[in-house]
Amino acid sequence: MACAFFHFSENNPKKSAIKINESKEFKGRYEANICTQCGECASVCPVEAIYKEGEVYRINRDKCISCYACKDACPENAIVVYCEGEPPIKCDLCGECAKICPTKSLYMEVN
Amino acid sequence: MTVMGGYWLKALEIDLTERKSFEKPLDEGVIERLVGGRGILHWIHYFNIDPDADPLGPENKLIFATGPFTGTMAPSSGRFVVGGKSPLTGILGDANCGGHFGPEIKYAGYDVLIISGKSEEPVYLTIFDDHVEIIDARDLWGKDTEETDDILKKRHGEDVQVACIGIAGENLVKFAGIVCNKDHLAARTGMGAVMGSKNLKAIVLKGTKSVPIHNIEDFKKLSKELWDIIVKDNRSGGHLPEYGTTSLLELHNSLGGLSTRNWQSGYFEDHEMINGDALNKKYLINCTACFNCPSRCDRYSYVAEGEFKGTYVGGPEYYTLLSFGSKLGNNNLASILKANQLCNKYGLDTGSTGGMIAFAMECYEKGLLSREKADGLDLTWGNYKSILKLIEKIANRDGFGNILADGFKRAIDYVGKGSEKYAIHIKGMDPPTLDPRALKVYNFRYAVASRGGDHLRISAHGAYELDKLPPEDAAKKLRFWQFIVTIPDLIGVCKFPYTFYSETPEVTFNKVLNLVPKIMTAITGVEYDSDKIMKVSERVDLLERSVNIRYGLKPADDDLPERFKKEPLPTGPKKGSVNDICDQLKLYYYNDAGWNIKTGLPCSEKYDELDLPEIRQDMEKRGFKLSSRGGK
């Protein structure tokens, strides 16, 4: 929710770059799909719509052709398609999710 | 005034007889007067369900309603309410539920879902934004709720939300619930049986729409303020994550009011074996959260060894702990978790299931129910093997379980011989835990709750202090707290973090009377203040009363069971106490509500005062003689 609010000013968790799923291995536990900024997505983008800015890979939504090659390439399953035909969403390390997380399960770490 | 956000102003009705769906506009004037949740649910209920409808017939409707906060960034906004005519009580029924299903209704573009008619064969529904399909569910019929959820997610994608019934709902057990996210139940008043009667196994939802917000900057700021208050408060941000609701068991026992052995006593000697600390120490593996809730009060438990090794369950709530624990004289905590798991899989209300078994066990103890009549089960208090067996029998409607599955009336007829005095219920539904002999004023709430024996229609800070007040002041306080805790039910959020799980009453007032109206204004663009929102609560009380009057509710139904009024508590801190204040409180409560003590009808002025002229006109048209206040 915080992610969608920050990036789109919209009340819609579907437009969030982070997805929380129940663990397949451990019932009652949860996992987050989080982008590690590995750059696999940029390497497969056929129109070079994904570019590096500092430590962060971003999507140029005007250039994107919504082919979703990046989604298939992502090893963390962290490219989010919220609506077929629309450009996908990815994490840009804004930190909003970590700010709101009440258990501090999400946190920002500087390497 | 125009509603600018928070609502789609649309209901989706699916007629299972005709196999078609259509959108219905929601009137802005009605929305402004009743806000949402229970308010809008029972407005639709009043005008769309015939009072003579068979609760399990095609003419009953199953209505899912959200509020303007549901699915938004406002904290704890995962709630919806589902209701209609209750098969358990024959009056108004509704059940509130957390998890993630409610928000998805909003993302699909609707405020309300209405299921009407009845399918000839088992079906399930998919609602993907505007696209609705009715799909054959014969392959799912007979499956438990966990399997059903898994299969439907596999079929339609991991990101769908599922509300389904288990075999209890299929078998029309009158206290079957609707299960969301496997472990969240809209449990009370038998809405799972209504769903089963329509041959509807599940609703699968997926929405992609953003909930419209009128003033997004104000909304962000105010929601964050409310979020921080909830996170920083020792109760909503500390106690709830640590214990969930389980600590109430210990509290109620220390007050001498923990329902024990079918309410024969208010003190359970083995409380330490089944309380929140015991759970945390032995079985709790995680606390989990409903949608957007920082309080994360859900328990997730796992039994790693012993007789019930391998049992996992999203739970228990305190209500489940005591319903299969103290109320049945059972101190085996692992067996309570097993009972909880069975109820979730079968789709049963743990409260009413425990309540019915408690009745059977007391009848057995008193020699009214023979072992033979109980299918050969030894129903001695604390016999957890028999308890688990009975849960299975109830869900499957097998033998004696088939009798209990229909609620108290049939069970009394079956057992006979004066067993009615052991049937502890109000309007056909069993109350939860806190004994009305221990906190006398506070637990008068069971007598007047609009859905029968229920503790969540009125909850208060300072419940202990109420007994010290003169009855006329106490009745006013009860009404005041009733309106406070109705607010979360209307806007679509959870009562716990918004109201009584606060360190002080002032914190609660700041949340629901200061921030909630401001957030309402930011979301909807309609001006709200504390008086206006409290008045909506009072209006909903009048609406629900009217629904019940139409079902034939009489003043005699607003009463506590004889046990609480005549049998002194035999042990514990409140030893010797009876509830001797119920009748007196009722006079004052009726007076404050503007209800006639002889007829139970609201006075005609109340409808004008609270701006519900349509209901007054309809009541009069139906021949109810509404007297004026002066004539009471």
Side-chain angles (χ1 to χ4, degrees), chain A residues 1-3 5-6 9-15 21-22 24 27-30 82-83 99-103, chain B residues 71-73 104 107 146 158 207-211 213 216 219-220 227 285-286 288 291 294 296 300 312:
Chain A
M1 291 290 278
C3 179
F5 245 87
F6 184 76
S9 273
E10 281 184 45
N11 202 104
N12 188 347
K14 308 298 166 77
K15 290 193 170 185
N21 302 306
E22 193 171 359
K24 294 275 178 229
K27 280 176 187 284
R29 301 226 173 254
Y30 294 83
Y82 68 91
C83 178
K99 259 191 244 168
I100 196 128
C101 178
T103 60
Chain B
T72 71
M73 187 74 191
E104 209 68 25
Y107 303 141
E146 200 174 314
E158 286 294 321
T208 59
K209 295 174 187 170
S210 303
V211 180
I213 305 287
I216 204 133
F219 174 65
K220 264 191 208 175
W227 179 280
I285 55 169
N286 202 5
T288 63
F291 177 84
R296 55 194 186 280
Y300 205 93
Y312 54 84

Side-chain angles (χ1 to χ4, degrees), chain B residues 12-26:
Chain B
L12 175 70
E13 179 159 351
I14 299 108
D15 184 332
L16 293 173
T17 306
E18 301 291 327
R19 293 181 74 87
K20 63 181 186 192
S21 66
F22 42 92
E23 290 180 0
K24 281 180 151 178
L26 296 175

Side-chain angles (χ1 to χ4, degrees), chain B residues 256-284:
Chain B
L258 179 67
S259 55
T260 300
R261 296 185 182 83
N262 197 33
W263 305 90
Q264 292 187 71
S265 163
Y267 185 83
F268 186 47
E269 61 286 357
D270 293 335
H271 58 100
E272 285 175 349
M273 295 169 76
I274 61 165
N275 67 13
D277 282 321
L279 180 82
N280 283 6
K281 208 167 126 192
K282 283 183 166 167
Y283 304 116
L284 187 75

